[in-house]
Amino acid sequence: MTCLPVSGGCERHLTDPFVECLNDSQGTCFAYQTCFHHINNEPQPEALYSATDTGARLVIERKSVVWPLNYVKRHQNDHLVAAILSEGLRELADLQPLSIRLEPSGLMSRKELESFARDIVASVRSSMDTLRTGRVLGSQRAGRSWTCNVDFDRDPSDGPLTGLIVRWPEPLESIRAEALPAQLTQKLLKLLDSTVKKFSGYPDARRILLLDPHGSIRHKDGSWWHRALKPLPTAIPEIWLGIHDWVTDFDQGWEFEQVFPIRGEPYALLDGQPLYDFLPT
């Protein structure tokens, strides 16, 4: 589960890592100038950068794309469940590596979610001796399935050898880029139309739309997005994916991939260091 970014206000903390990637991989020297949202009541891109050598301008519009439509509610529910599990199992997880896998919690009420999470805590606490033998505890109840085990094989390179890790495997949803659900198509068309309006005042600038997908489209690659977004408005000459995600169970990093035009391989950034670079252009 990856957290949705808080929208509103200056998003420089979300665009600066991308510009760093751009400068490192393409030999540019763009530097931050300003964040803006409205000038004379006209919608604006997220941020403006300019090249320190030539003065060329770069404007970036950043958009989060969420699918399915109920993903935000599910995400909030999962946070609530995780908080109850963490608190209820804290002292046990301090002594051994516990791993819990949960079905995404759907649209249960808050009361139902709290009861569900507390039932898991009670089951785990009463079954620790069994779990320590290597057996897996859980339930396959429809809509509320879960498993728990002591993670004896946890890799030291992933972080502490004790503690609780909670995972929500995202249900597989086969979405063909050439046959998107109607509501997703409408969502993307609205996003592109909004971006065109925000770029209209910057015809001479380099214009980049930076997408941050969530939910079942989180890990679709650049090729999928290239096909899903065709035909692209000419006012949006460049689109990238910009995802801040878990690189290990304990570390997060940025991953960027160019969608339009396709140029090279994904670039990952963890703690400021590039893991992969672009192919030469």
Side-chain angles (χ1 to χ4, degrees), residues 118 146 171 181 236:
R118 291 191 180 111
W146 62 274
I236 308 176

Side-chain angles (χ1 to χ4, degrees), residues 53-179:
D53 53 353
T54 65
R57 297 194 301 172
L58 163 69
V59 289
I60 299 173
E61 172 63 2
R62 186 182 174 281
K63 296 282 192 182
S64 293
V65 189
V66 178
W67 185 263
L69 297 178
N70 66 0
Y71 178 78
V72 173
K73 178 62 176 176
R74 283 170 36 195
H75 183 84
Q76 293 170 343
N77 288 350
D78 291 341
H79 267 288
L80 174 60
V81 171
I84 295 173
L85 294 177
S86 179
E87 183 62 28
L89 299 173
R90 188 179 308 279
E91 80 277 11
L92 294 177
D94 284 343
L95 299 175
Q96 56 256 306
L98 290 179
S99 178
I100 293 178
R101 296 174 69 88
L102 294 163
E103 181 178 352
S105 37
L107 299 178
M108 286 187 277
S109 69
R110 183 180 182 90
K111 184 176 181 180
E112 290 173 323
L113 286 168
E114 291 174 347
S115 176
F116 172 55
R118 291 191 180 111
D119 286 347
I120 295 175
V121 169
S123 295
V124 172
R125 294 185 70 88
S126 65
S127 305
M128 279 309 305
D129 289 342
T130 300
L131 286 167
R132 291 188 185 104
T133 68
R135 295 185 62 183
V136 177
L137 180 69
S139 169
Q140 296 303 313
R141 181 181 174 184
R144 302 189 183 191
S145 65
W146 62 274
T147 61
C148 177
N149 66 286
V150 176
D151 191 4
F152 296 109
D153 297 324
R154 186 176 294 178
D155 190 336
S157 65
D158 286 341
L161 291 180
T162 60
L164 173 65
I165 294 176
V166 183
R167 295 183 175 91
W168 290 263
E170 187 68 29
L172 293 177
E173 183 178 1
S174 179
I175 304 177
R176 292 181 57 237
E178 298 82 3

